[in-house]
Amino acid sequence: MTATVAVGLGERAYEVLIGPGLLDQAGERIAPLLKRARSAVVSDETVWGLHGARLTAAFARAGVAVMPIVVAPGEQTKSFDGLAEVIDRLLALELDRGDLITAFGGGVVGDLAGFTAAIFKRGVGFVQIPTTLLAQVDSSVGGKTAIDTARGKNLVGAFHQPRLVLADLDVLATLPDREMRAGYAEVIKYGLLGDVGFFEWLEAHGAQVLAREPAALAHAVARCVEIKAEIVAEDETEQGRRALLNLGHTFGHALESETGHGPALLHGEAVAAGQALAFRFSEAQGFCPTQEARRATAAIAAAGLPTGLPQVPGHPFAADRLVRHMAQDKKADGGKLTFILARGLGQAFVAKDVDAGAVTAFLLTEGAR
């Protein structure tokens, strides 16, 4: 059964389809969006090796030619060098502004292909076919595209909405367990930031989601997309409520920067630790009841995810270095630190002008836990 969630953005509205078997329907779903019967497909070596033949066959059944651009897997590809490589390949394929790019992979591929689509010949359309849990529930929806720089994560990017998102739950069967857990960090985020009922459902059914039990997985992905679609329709360019989706990311991005954006710490693992840190910092600042901070931490830990600095590869970390990374974060405003904090489960809020000294002291305490 396929669930459909609409992202309501007027003339730029699009649908997110969620369910099994969608990869085999990709050609017939995407063909109506094409001016010419062809699409450049940006993917990585791992995803293309596992699923490229199926996608190519699905396009062929609809009479659509596939022009694959296969890049190396990993966060390092989401860079200026990776962007230049993809753009050069597109130019060699002689794509024009009426053509469509298909992003076929996880968050790295989706971000890279989406940002490429935003700037290639001043903007072309693109479709997302996310192949990881993290990408299906979060990065493929909402139009945030970006690449990393040596100074931080996602610092160069654009808002560029996809034309369609196809989230095939079947492809998650090939996802390594570690990647599944990393994606679950973004699933639990939606409960922690604004839907305590969903958080409570995850407390009871999170193990089933991680085990890829079809009904539980379908419910979790659909609920996350529903929440994100509602927020994006209200605040597309993150001027207000959409910032709540960054819960855990200020701490998490600092940890990613300090660990070199490499395989030692996946993005979802960093976000998991960041969410637990955000709840404990909220507790330390007197915003969040201790019991609720502990409950958030316990739910993250139950998924086998890191919840503190000692569990992150590279520990111990210098607190002042982490704070310097936070000062470079794209959410910083006027040189002031901005965090998403919580008054309790499902009660996240934007905290501007957070005192850097308080953050440093907190990190020193956390590092000694």
Side-chain angles (χ1 to χ4, degrees), residues 15 29 57-58 170 186 277 328 359-360:
E15 292 183 336
R29 300 280 188 179
D170 285 344
E186 295 282 3
L277 289 166
Q328 292 294 319
V359 177
T360 302

Side-chain angles (χ1 to χ4, degrees), residues 173-249:
T174 61
L175 195 66
D177 288 343
R178 184 186 177 198
E179 293 275 2
M180 194 72 185
R181 290 193 297 272
Y184 186 80
E186 295 282 3
V187 173
I188 203 168
K189 177 189 77 175
Y190 287 96
L192 291 173
L193 71 86
D195 187 345
V196 68
F198 182 51
F199 173 79
E200 291 170 346
W201 183 88
L202 289 170
E203 284 183 308
H205 301 284
Q208 294 168 276
V209 176
L210 288 167
R212 302 166 173 86
E213 194 279 319
L217 183 60
H219 174 73
V221 174
R223 184 62 190 132
C224 292
V225 173
E226 287 169 355
I227 295 170
K228 184 159 191 181
E230 176 190 336
I231 292 173
V232 168
E234 175 186 319
D235 179 25
E236 180 182 4
T237 58
E238 203 172 291
Q239 302 304 305
R241 188 182 173 202
R242 185 169 181 175
L244 298 179
L245 295 169
N246 292 311
L247 176 65
H249 286 62

